[in-house]
Amino acid sequence: MNRLFGTKNTAPKPSLDDAISKVDNRVASIDVKLASLNAELSTYQAKIAKMRDGPGKNALRQKALKVLQRRKQYEAQRDQLSQQSWNMEQAGMMQDNLKNVMTTVDAMKTTTKELKKQYGKVDIDKIERMQDEMADLMDIGNEIQESISRAYDIPEDVDESELDAELEALGEESMFESAMGESAMPSFMQDEVAPPQFIDELPEQAKVKEPAGGLG
């Protein structure tokens, strides 16, 4: 059977990058040949320009025409290969873009799966109840703040004329204390500090007693 249908080709298929590389190498090889043909044509043109009309010039012109024809064929082949290389490069870019898109899609699928798993653990009703409890606690806190910061106003039954009279009395007492000075002493305390009036003179110092026999 292998003789009739041949053996199965087990060689790995060339990749797109390998195919592009081979085509580019062929284009580079054609460029070398075109450079050689251009140099040969330049030589023929220089010789033809110096020759007179005649059989020799005609023969040289025929050679130049053949070189020019070969150059055109190589140029056409080069253009085809360049177009093939460009088409394969575009296909490679599309393939890369498709890979990037598939990678993005896979990542989005994985993320969506994880989000569903995480959101499945969240109890929305529990969160709503917790929010309501927080709102109630905030209201209670505001009421407490308002209560402890309440201002105590003067009772309405207090007579303002009495307050004015008391304020005036405080002012007069302050002026009296200033006139007396900080070291002033009340009169009832001055009598206690003054010396007694019944003493006529200050006591004398004690005399030293002489010895009974006197000095000899």
Side-chain angles (χ1 to χ4, degrees):
M1 295 295 292
N2 291 336
R3 294 179 181 178
L4 294 176
F5 299 102
T7 59
K8 185 178 180 180
N9 188 8
T10 58
K13 295 182 179 180
S15 63
L16 190 61
D17 292 336
D18 293 338
I20 293 174
S21 179
K22 289 181 180 180
V23 173
D24 290 341
N25 290 334
R26 292 178 62 185
V27 171
S29 177
I30 291 175
D31 287 337
V32 174
K33 293 179 180 180
L34 286 174
S36 177
L37 292 175
N38 288 331
E40 188 176 355
L41 281 175
S42 297
T43 302
Y44 286 148
Q45 289 175 353
K47 290 181 180 181
I48 291 173
K50 296 177 182 180
M51 294 177 66
R52 296 179 179 179
D53 293 338
K57 186 176 182 179
N58 292 333
L60 193 59
R61 183 180 291 110
Q62 292 296 324
K63 291 181 180 180
L65 290 175
K66 290 181 180 179
V67 173
L68 183 60
Q69 184 178 6
R70 289 174 58 194
R71 189 184 73 174
K72 289 183 177 296
Q73 291 177 350
Y74 278 120
E75 288 176 347
Q77 188 177 4
R78 181 184 183 280
D79 291 341
Q80 291 178 355
L81 292 174
S82 297
Q83 186 62 42
Q84 291 178 10
S85 177
W86 171 243
N87 292 338
M88 287 187 292
E89 288 178 359
Q90 284 186 321
M93 288 187 290
M94 292 179 62
Q95 185 177 5
D96 292 338
N97 291 335
L98 182 59
K99 289 180 180 179
N100 293 333
V101 170
M102 295 304 298
T103 301
T104 303
V105 171
D106 291 339
M108 292 177 65
K109 288 181 179 179
T110 303
T111 303
T112 303
K113 185 177 180 180
E114 291 297 326
L115 288 175
K116 289 182 178 179
K117 185 185 298 182
Q118 294 297 327
Y119 284 147
K121 299 178 181 179
V122 177
D123 189 353
I124 302 298
D125 295 334
K126 185 176 181 180
I127 294 176
E128 291 293 338
R129 291 193 299 271
M130 184 173 60
Q131 291 288 344
D132 294 338
E133 292 177 358
M134 289 296 296
D136 294 338
L137 291 175
M138 291 296 294
D139 292 338
I140 295 173
N142 292 331
E143 292 178 359
I144 294 174
Q145 291 294 331
E146 292 177 359
S147 178
I148 63 177
S149 61
R150 183 183 305 167
Y152 297 96
D153 297 332
I154 299 175
E156 295 180 357
D157 55 352
V158 176
D159 190 358
E160 292 185 1
S161 60
E162 294 180 1
L163 294 177
D164 293 335
E166 184 177 354
L167 182 60
E168 185 177 356
L170 290 175
E172 293 177 354
E173 182 179 354
S174 177
M175 292 176 62
F176 176 75
E177 292 179 355
S178 298
M180 292 292 292
E182 295 180 356
S183 61
M185 184 177 297
S187 59
F188 68 88
M189 294 182 65
Q190 292 179 1
D191 295 337
E192 295 179 0
V193 178
Q197 298 297 327
F198 60 87
I199 299 177
D200 295 334
E201 58 181 3
L202 296 175
E204 295 181 358
Q205 295 180 352
K207 295 180 179 181
V208 178
K209 294 182 179 180
E210 295 181 354
L215 295 175

